[in-house]
Amino acid sequence: MTNSVIETSSLTKDHVSHFLRKRFRVVDGLTLTVERSETFGLLGLNGAGKTTTLKLLLGLLRPTAGSATVLGFPAGDRRALAKIGFLPENPYFYSYLTGSEFLDFAGLTFGIAKQERRERAEQLLQLVSMSHAGDTPIRKYSKGMMQRLGIAQSLMNDPELIFWDEPTSGLDPIGRRDVRLILHKLKDRGKTIFFNSHLLPDVSEICDRVGVLHKGKLVGSEKVSTVTGGGGYQNLEEYFLECVNCEGAAR
Ligand SMILES: Nc1ncnc2c1ncn2[C@@H]1O[C@H](COP(=O)(O)OP(=O)(O)OP(=O)(O)O)[C@@H](O)[C@H]1O
Ligand SMILES: [Mg+2]
């Protein structure tokens, strides 16, 4: 039995611009494997195609060419989605709900029983240091509070596989540290984690392996321990910068 949780083969996505209906390639022939219990960081400059890749893996977008399987099912299959937690880049919340009500709603969509939903919501609010705000309407939340709630909702179904798009976006230094601690806890529990980030020190601390996406192409994929320990690079930043300078040169 394969140990791969995510497998893509020549995954490609074109968008069509409204102006002159011109096609442009956003994800270009991406072939990638993520193993069970691995923490994988997808890096890339703004517009590199990271969020689009995540959406393809979740089945929110259909590929123009190529394929992706997630947890042994084609991307977007409901059987896989039930075991996935997702934090979108720009999470949207029903602002008239309180944080606890929103988590309850998220649990309901996964078919979790009432008592269990309540317990999980309480535990997760505690995990993201939001217990004090569980009964506050979301419209009164700051950006960082919404991000913390987004992280909590992504864990309501105790997922096997976690997709987080910029989990530390909008968080203060304590929030960033909290997210790192949560990631370590999830890693210790054997979860598979795939996340996009620009914060290379955090990625370096947490990830087992990174991929570097540049103009839709995978221009680097390496174990963090190899990059930072004897790989000829001082740190992940140096590796990242070399990859994006070597455009198109798959390593
Ligand atoms: N729905 C869409 N229609 C047309 N173009 C799109 C659409 N979504 C994204 N794009 C384009 O695709 C490219 C990749 O976008 P994507 O959001 O995947 O980048 P990213 O790597 O996540 O960037 P960032 O670091 O800024 O979040 C960009 O040029 C973007 O403008
Ligand atoms: Mg993005």
Side-chain angles (χ1 to χ4, degrees):
M1 200 182 98
T2 173
N3 210 26
S4 303
V5 168
I6 300 171
E7 277 182 315
T8 73
S9 174
S10 304
L11 191 65
T12 298
K13 180 67 187 174
D14 291 347
H15 279 303
V16 181
S17 75
H18 291 298
F19 183 65
L20 297 178
R21 309 288 302 158
K22 209 173 159 229
R23 276 179 170 269
F24 61 101
R25 191 143 288 184
V26 179
V27 175
D28 194 353
L30 179 66
T31 298
L32 183 75
T33 304
V34 177
E35 304 294 335
R36 188 166 300 281
S37 299
E38 193 172 34
T39 301
F40 183 86
L42 188 62
L43 314 177
L45 302 174
N46 293 132
K50 303 181 296 298
T51 296
T52 307
T53 300
L54 260 181
K55 288 180 179 171
L56 288 166
L57 293 176
L58 286 156
L60 296 171
L61 288 176
R62 294 180 71 82
T64 306
S67 62
T69 58
V70 177
L71 293 165
F73 297 103
D77 190 290
R78 293 168 71 99
R79 288 164 290 183
L81 291 178
K83 300 177 193 167
I84 289 174
F86 174 44
L87 171 71
E89 187 169 42
N90 298 304
Y92 172 81
F93 302 104
Y94 299 114
S95 60
Y96 52 86
L97 295 180
T98 65
S100 297
E101 285 168 345
F102 182 75
L103 291 182
D104 190 70
F105 170 71
L108 196 60
T109 62
F110 284 108
I112 301 168
K114 191 171 179 178
Q115 184 58 27
E116 200 178 343
R117 292 202 305 267
R118 190 172 299 161
E119 284 167 13
R120 281 204 198 166
E122 263 176 40
Q123 287 163 5
L124 288 170
L125 284 171
Q126 205 174 0
L127 183 74
V128 297
S129 307
M130 285 278 289
S131 297
H132 64 285
D135 294 330
T136 306
I138 296 172
R139 65 173 178 277
K140 296 187 179 174
Y141 280 13
S142 70
K143 161 109 177 70
M145 289 166 83
M146 284 200 267
Q147 188 72 0
R148 286 165 192 260
L149 184 65
I151 288 171
Q153 69 75 31
S154 76
L155 301 175
M156 262 315 265
N157 58 333
D158 192 20
E160 269 179 45
L161 169 62
I162 292 156
F163 285 112
W164 280 357
D165 200 344
E166 311 276 356
T168 43
S169 161
L171 294 182
D172 60 31
I174 293 175
R176 251 179 78 184
R177 187 205 56 194
D178 286 353
V179 167
R180 286 200 303 272
L181 293 175
I182 293 168
L183 281 164
H184 280 299
K185 278 187 198 168
L186 294 168
K187 262 172 86 95
D188 290 346
R189 288 175 57 202
K191 307 288 184 189
T192 309
I193 304 165
F194 184 110
F195 73 100
N196 298 340
S197 181
H198 293 292
L199 295 169
L200 300 185
D202 291 2
V203 172
S204 191
E205 179 187 318
I206 295 154
C207 289
D208 302 310
R209 202 154 57 85
V210 292
V212 180
L213 207 57
H214 191 53
K215 299 184 181 172
K217 283 194 162 87
L218 191 70
V219 295
S221 175
E222 195 56 270
K223 282 189 170 174
V224 173
S225 57
T226 305
V227 173
T228 54
Y233 303 96
Q234 275 189 352
N235 51 36
L236 191 58
E237 184 180 85
E238 202 177 292
Y239 172 73
F240 172 74
L241 291 175
E242 186 178 299
C243 286
V244 298
N245 283 334
C246 301
E247 185 181 328
R251 297 161 62 99

